Amino acid sequence: RWQTEFGRWVADFGVPRIVAGLANDPGLRVSNQAVYEWLQGHAPQPARAMALVEMSGGRLTLDAIYQHGRQMKQTEGDAGGPR
């Protein structure tokens, strides 16, 4: 989960900074747990994903965020886990 473009960005930027950055908008607030769920493959809502792209300064794209989720689900399936 840390090997995707999104995973590497989260690792570099830091979960606490992501949570703090989204906390400025009441409609975008999330918990640390929510960010870890994104890393597990649960995609963020579109408004949050767009905020992450802005927060990344162009390092992330919406496609990179949603591709991460697809890759995590595919990896789960390859490992014999639930899809």
Side-chain angles (χ1 to χ4, degrees):
R1 72 185 48 141
W2 301 102
Q3 301 309 312
T4 66
E5 188 176 344
F6 177 65
R8 286 189 300 270
W9 179 77
V10 171
D12 292 346
F13 198 80
V15 172
R17 281 180 65 196
I18 293 169
V19 171
L22 293 175
N24 296 326
D25 183 328
L28 298 177
R29 286 186 184 143
V30 295
S31 64
N32 287 2
Q33 181 63 33
V35 177
Y36 288 111
E37 287 174 6
W38 298 341
L39 288 167
Q40 291 171 354
H42 301 278
Q45 294 175 344
R48 288 189 179 105
M50 287 186 281
L52 293 172
V53 170
E54 283 184 37
M55 199 182 298
S56 77
R59 183 170 161 194
L60 281 180
T61 63
L62 288 175
D63 187 54
I65 293 168
Y66 291 114
Q67 179 64 28
H68 172 85
R70 289 189 293 273
Q71 285 181 271
M72 292 304 99
K73 289 182 189 326
Q74 182 180 4
T75 301
E76 233 179 47
D78 292 346
R83 284 194 179 238

